[in-house]
């Protein structure tokens, strides 16, 4: 009843804004949601699905209204989510879902694509050099190969290396994307070296270091380099590498969560862990208690992620602007905790941007909100897979 009431309120509030830009499509989306939810049965599975759909709708409304402020991190999360929404539509077609549900998903994907495409020029304008070099990471949805997998056992050991070398990582990503220059000319994409492979598979890594190692191999599939990479490595497969990383990442996620609570500083990391492994089909991350926990994190009115992390990140941004070492930042100083760096700091055109946070309107966080959207879209795809 609470969910249905909130949808009624959202739909009603949007009806008075029909003449504003994009208002009609947002209203149609929420009215479609309203119709589907009100016709649903009250089984727990339906309730969770309705909660997920409502959370996706709120987040999409937020990003559609403020797409000019989305940074690279936020757009990356939206593209991950877009791939999951498209996959959910395919799941629905196979399972012959209710026509209202299919209409909702299609409308969501259309709206999401519009927001993503609208954001691209602003990202390009903010840093043309970055866009030229790493556009492939954000210019299309991630259609990751989803292989339903449950870990038989999980290694309880946690890595120790968390200092990600951005320059070395940039080189490896650029070689993969076909934007690496050598002797004045760009090398073809899917270029991998022994140094890059060793760096992206080294052991004893943790936090954002290990998630960016995993992201490298997700990018392999994303840009169409799977065959070339598997020919290079020979002794294993891309899936096995991803499974090895996600088993370790799942153990770290378990350590972050304590009785349904993840600390403010660690929510962003938890979301990144979940969205990267969840989109690949590692369903240990789809725990009912974790789904319920994450659904409670977004602001119910705005649809973005802010709440507890707001004061922490405001303080972080302030300290970064004065170039002070910050406890809790994902900085360069030895021993600092991992956390997205404020984008008001260095403006270099590197993949380090995927480690930066930006404040959007109303205190909303671009990186965390983008990752959050990707995670909740992954939940949606998972729920429909087992509908």
């Amino acid at each position: 009843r609470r969910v249905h009431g909130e949808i009624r309120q959202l739909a009603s509030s949007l009806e008075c804004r029909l003449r504003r830009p994009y208002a009609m499509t947002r209203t149609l989306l929420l009215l479609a949601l309203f119709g589907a939810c009100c016709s649903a049965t009250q089984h727990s599975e339906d309730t969770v699905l309705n909660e997920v759909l409502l959370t996706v709708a709120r987040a999409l409304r937020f990003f559609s209204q403020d797409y000019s402020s989305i940074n690279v991190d936020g757009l990356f999360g939206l593209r991950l989510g877009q791939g999951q929404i498209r996959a959910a539509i395919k799941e629905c077609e196979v399972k012959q879902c209710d026509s209202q549900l299919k209409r909702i998903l299609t409308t969501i994907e259309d709206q999401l694509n519009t927001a993503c495409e609208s954001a691209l020029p602003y990202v390009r304008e903010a840093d043309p050099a970055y866009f030229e070099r790493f556009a492939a990471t954000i210019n299309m949805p991630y259609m990751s190969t989803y292989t339903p997998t449950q870990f038989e056992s999980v290694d309880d050991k946690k890595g120790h290396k968390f200092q990600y070398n951005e320059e070395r990582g940039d080189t490896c990503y650029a070689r993969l994307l076909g934007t690496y220059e050598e002797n004045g000319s760009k090398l073809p994409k899917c270029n991998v070296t022994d140094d890059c492979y060793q760096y992206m598979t080294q052991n004893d890594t943790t936090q954002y270091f290990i998630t960016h190692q995993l992201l490298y191999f997700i990018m392999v599939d994303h840009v169409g380099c799977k065959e070339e990479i598997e020919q290079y490595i020979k002794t294993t497969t891309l899936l096995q590498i991803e499974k090895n990383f996600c088993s370790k990442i799942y153990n770290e996620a378990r350590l972050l969560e304590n009785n349904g609570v993840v600390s403010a500083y660690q929510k962003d990391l938890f979301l990144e862990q979940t969205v990267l492994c969840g989109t690949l089909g590692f369903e240990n991350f789809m725990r009912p208690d974790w789904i319920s926990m994450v659904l409670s994190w977004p602001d119910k009115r705005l649809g973005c992620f802010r709440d507890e992390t707001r004061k922490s990140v405001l303080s972080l941004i302030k300290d970064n602007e004065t170039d002070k070492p910050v406890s809790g930042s994902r900085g360069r100083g030895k021993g600092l905790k991992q956390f997205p760096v404020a984008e008001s700091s260095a403006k270099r055109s590197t993949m380090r941007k995927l480690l930066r946070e930006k404040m959007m309107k109303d205190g909303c966080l671009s990186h965390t909100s983008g990752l959050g959207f990707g995670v909740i879209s992954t939940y949606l795809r998972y729920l429909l897979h087992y509908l």
Side-chain angles (χ1 to χ4, degrees):
R1 293 177 181 176
R2 177 179 60 81
V3 175
H4 297 171
E6 288 183 4
I7 298 172
R8 288 192 187 93
Q9 291 174 9
L10 286 169
S12 177
S13 67
L14 288 173
E15 283 178 345
C16 67
R17 295 185 286 175
L18 288 174
R19 295 183 183 180
R20 297 183 186 181
Y22 305 105
M24 176 63 80
T25 48
R26 290 200 304 272
T27 303
L28 290 176
L29 167 61
L30 289 172
L31 287 176
L33 263 172
F34 171 69
C37 289
C38 286
S39 64
T41 63
Q42 295 302 305
H43 296 302
S44 59
E45 294 84 356
D46 293 323
T47 301
V48 174
L49 180 58
N50 290 347
E51 286 275 10
V52 169
L53 283 168
L54 178 57
T55 306
V56 167
R58 289 194 191 115
L60 181 54
R61 181 185 59 172
F62 169 77
F63 280 112
S64 296
Q65 291 173 339
D66 199 24
Y67 57 80
S68 63
S69 298
I70 301 173
N71 71 345
V72 171
D73 300 34
L75 186 53
F76 170 71
L78 292 186
R79 289 301 196 186
L80 284 170
Q82 186 178 12
Q84 293 301 291
I85 297 297
R86 287 191 177 182
I89 292 173
K90 291 182 179 179
E91 294 276 7
C92 237
E93 291 173 348
V94 171
K95 296 178 179 298
Q96 298 182 334
C97 294
D98 180 88
S99 60
Q100 286 181 314
L101 180 55
K102 286 193 286 187
R103 186 167 67 253
I104 291 168
L105 295 174
T106 302
T107 307
I108 286 175
E109 205 283 320
D110 289 343
Q111 290 284 307
L112 180 55
N113 190 63
T114 297
C116 290
E117 294 300 317
S118 299
L120 280 174
Y122 294 95
V123 174
R124 182 190 292 113
E125 182 181 2
D127 195 332
Y130 170 82
F131 193 87
E132 173 67 23
R133 197 176 193 196
F134 297 113
T137 65
I138 54 172
N139 65 359
M140 59 182 177
Y142 284 71
M143 303 304 297
S144 302
T145 302
Y146 189 92
T147 305
T149 305
Q150 290 279 347
F151 304 123
E152 297 175 0
S153 61
V154 179
D155 188 352
D156 289 335
K157 296 180 181 179
K158 186 174 182 289
H160 298 89
K161 301 174 186 175
F162 63 87
Q163 293 282 339
Y164 178 72
N165 186 320
E166 59 185 282
E167 299 298 340
R168 192 174 178 182
D170 284 353
T171 298
C172 297
Y173 275 95
R175 284 182 176 277
L176 195 64
L177 301 176
T179 57
Y180 182 77
E181 292 190 11
E182 192 171 80
N183 299 323
S185 60
K186 291 182 179 179
L187 298 181
K189 74 173 189 176
C190 305
N191 179 271
V192 60
T193 63
D194 291 343
D195 179 72
C196 283
Y197 182 73
Q198 290 168 7
Y199 187 64
M200 293 300 178
T201 57
Q202 71 170 280
N203 293 319
D204 200 34
T205 55
T206 186
Q207 299 179 27
Y208 292 97
F209 194 156
I210 192 171
T211 58
H212 275 68
Q213 288 178 301
L214 173 61
L215 178 58
Y216 175 82
F217 291 100
I218 291 176
M219 203 65 63
V220 165
D221 196 23
H222 181 62
V223 299
C225 298
K226 181 178 180 180
E227 183 177 344
E228 289 86 347
I229 296 301
E230 289 193 335
Q231 286 179 353
Y232 171 83
I233 57 182
K234 296 179 182 178
T235 58
T236 188
T237 64
L238 187 62
L239 177 60
Q240 189 57 47
I241 291 173
E242 293 169 340
K243 184 176 182 180
N244 180 55
F245 277 131
C246 284
S247 175
K248 296 176 181 178
I249 291 171
Y250 176 66
N251 179 54
E252 289 194 17
R254 290 194 305 175
L255 296 175
L256 292 182
E257 182 264 335
N258 183 23
N259 293 323
V261 176
V262 175
S263 69
Y265 277 122
Q266 302 293 353
K267 285 183 177 180
D268 181 272
L269 176 58
F270 185 89
L271 292 171
E272 187 163 310
Q273 293 167 335
T274 302
V275 73
L276 294 181
C277 292
T279 56
L280 297 173
F282 294 103
E283 296 179 348
N284 297 72
F285 290 85
M286 304 293 108
R287 288 170 39 171
D289 57 330
W290 285 4
I291 293 176
S292 178
M293 177 181 68
V294 171
L295 287 175
S296 73
W297 290 354
D299 185 282
K300 301 304 181 186
R301 179 177 62 87
L302 298 171
C304 66
F305 283 68
R306 55 196 296 262
D307 293 338
E308 301 169 56
T309 56
R310 187 178 182 187
K311 289 183 180 179
S312 303
V313 175
L314 284 171
S315 174
L316 178 63
I317 290 175
K318 181 179 179 181
D319 287 337
N320 266 274
E321 287 173 343
T322 56
D323 276 332
K324 296 178 181 177
V326 182
S327 176
S329 73
R330 205 189 288 182
R332 299 185 181 122
K334 186 175 180 180
L336 296 183
K337 295 179 181 179
Q338 300 275 319
F339 198 82
V341 174
E343 195 158 35
S344 56
S345 56
K347 289 287 185 179
R348 292 185 295 164
S349 302
T350 72
M351 277 293 290
R352 185 69 171 182
K353 284 185 178 293
L354 288 179
L355 305 176
R356 298 188 190 280
E357 186 60 273
K358 178 184 178 182
M359 196 71 72
M360 299 176 71
K361 71 175 185 177
D362 297 318
C364 295
L365 305 174
S366 183
H367 184 269
T368 307
S369 295
L371 290 178
F373 183 87
V375 169
I376 296 165
S377 298
T378 303
Y379 293 159
L380 177 59
R381 191 257 179 90
Y382 168 77
L383 291 170
L384 289 176
H385 182 74
Y386 291 102
L387 191 65

